[in-house]
């Protein structure tokens, strides 16, 4: 429906029917939600932030960061939303950032509200290609971008957070630095590829690189022992 002012308003009605194990049927009262289309707003450009992002993009043209004592971590995430895996990463980096000699920058496939919280910790976040798995060319282009970006960063370890962050684990093999992979998904790997990517979306080359990176990871962390057992066929159990 619409109003005379030109604004568009949408009503959604949700009806729920519950079936109990003893055969009873309970119909909930319909709930009506009104969704108003927000007025378009001119986006305000943050000139200081824009200058900082431009400076980051030029870093590979400068001298590479010298190797240093301590941990210089590259954390790779597939998204930064208020979800379990992303909040795990935020809490982990918050604790590690308090340790002497620890520095970190992050890469994410999708931006989200946790980016500002990470950057408040001093973790710069690089937002990159959101879906670099549809072709061999796009996947390798993504890796070329990140190798160039990371080579100047002096990273000496990679943390890949979630199974969907497999490109980060592959990146670690190219940088020849240790990789720790935190897996939060309780799906066997073939089922995960089927559930997480639509038919024909995950190129066989990208999947092959993911499975090879999993076998090459220095350590893989799981939420539970039952989840670890699901992945025993995919890597050395040690």
């Amino acid at each position: 429906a619409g109003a005379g002012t030109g604004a568009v308003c949408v009503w959604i009605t949700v009806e729920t029917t519950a079936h109990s194990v003893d055969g009873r049927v309970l119909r909930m009262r319909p709930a009506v939600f009104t969704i108003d289309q927000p007025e378009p707003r001119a986006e305000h450009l943050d000139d200081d932030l824009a200058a900082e992002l431009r400076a980051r993009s030029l870093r590979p043209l400068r001298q590479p960061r010298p190797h240093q004592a301590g941990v210089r971590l590259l954390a790779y995430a597939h998204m930064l939303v208020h979800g379990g895996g992303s909040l795990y990463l935020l809490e982990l980096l918050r604790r590690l950032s308090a340790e002497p000699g620890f520095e970190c920058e992050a890469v994410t496939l999708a931006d989200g509200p946790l980016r500002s919280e990470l950057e408040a910790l001093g973790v710069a976040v690089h937002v990159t290609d959101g879906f670099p798995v549809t072709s061999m060319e796009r996947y390798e282009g993504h890796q070329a971008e990140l190798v160039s970006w990371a080579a100047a960063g002096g990273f000496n370890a990679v943390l890949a957070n979630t199974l969907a962050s497999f490109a980060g684990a592959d990146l670690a093999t190219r940088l020849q630095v240790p990789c720790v992979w935190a897996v939060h998904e309780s799906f066997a790997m073939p089922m995960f590829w089927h559930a997480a990517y639509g038919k024909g979306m995950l190129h066989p080359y990208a999947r092959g690189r993911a499975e090879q990176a999993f076998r090459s990871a220095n350590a893989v962390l799981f939420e539970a022992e039952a989840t670890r057992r699901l992945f025993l066929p995919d890597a050395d159990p040690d």
Side-chain angles (χ1 to χ4, degrees), residues 17-230:
T17 302
H19 299 267
S20 68
V21 293
D22 61 5
R24 290 177 296 159
V25 177
L26 175 63
R27 290 182 174 83
M28 309 295 289
R29 179 180 300 175
V32 179
F33 300 90
T34 302
I35 303 176
D36 296 316
Q37 182 177 358
E39 293 292 331
R41 294 181 298 176
E43 185 176 355
H44 175 69
L45 293 180
D46 185 330
D47 292 336
D48 291 338
L49 176 59
E52 179 184 344
L53 293 175
R54 285 195 299 273
R56 288 185 198 172
S57 74
L58 295 174
R59 188 182 66 188
L61 300 178
R62 307 190 188 103
Q63 290 296 320
R65 186 185 184 96
H67 293 290
Q68 61 188 50
V71 175
R72 173 100 178 129
L73 182 69
L74 190 163
Y76 191 109
H78 80 284
M79 62 174 60
L80 294 177
V81 298
H82 284 108
S86 300
L87 291 170
Y88 163 92
L89 179 64
L90 174 64
E91 181 63 21
L92 178 64
L93 295 182
R94 178 181 286 122
R95 297 186 187 195
L96 290 174
S97 295
E99 298 292 328
F102 178 83
E103 294 182 356
C104 179
E105 293 189 34
V107 172
T108 182
L109 297 174
D111 202 0
L114 297 187
R115 176 172 55 82
S116 60
E117 297 193 45
L118 285 172
E119 296 203 323
L121 295 174
V123 178
V125 178
H126 176 72
V127 182
T128 185
D129 187 346
F131 211 68
V133 298
T134 56
S135 70
M136 182 167 59
E137 292 77 12
R138 188 168 174 182
Y139 184 83
E140 284 301 327
H142 177 67
Q143 289 291 329
E145 168 205 332
L146 291 183
V147 167
S148 174
W149 170 83
F155 299 106
N156 56 21
V158 170
L159 170 68
N161 189 51
T162 76
L163 198 55
S165 296
F166 60 83
D170 189 5
L171 176 64
T173 68
R174 302 174 192 229
L175 297 175
Q176 298 183 340
V177 299
C179 175
V180 176
W181 198 337
V183 174
H184 303 266
E185 300 85 353
S186 292
F187 293 95
M189 196 171 282
M191 178 60 70
F192 176 77
W193 302 138
H194 175 76
Y197 300 93
K199 184 177 180 180
M201 296 302 292
L202 179 63
H203 194 276
Y205 177 81
R207 175 173 172 169
R209 293 301 305 176
E211 293 172 353
Q212 181 175 335
F214 193 86
R215 292 190 295 270
S216 302
N218 297 80
V220 187
L221 312 178
F222 299 98
E223 298 295 321
E225 171 61 21
T227 304
R228 186 189 74 88
R229 289 197 297 267
L230 287 174

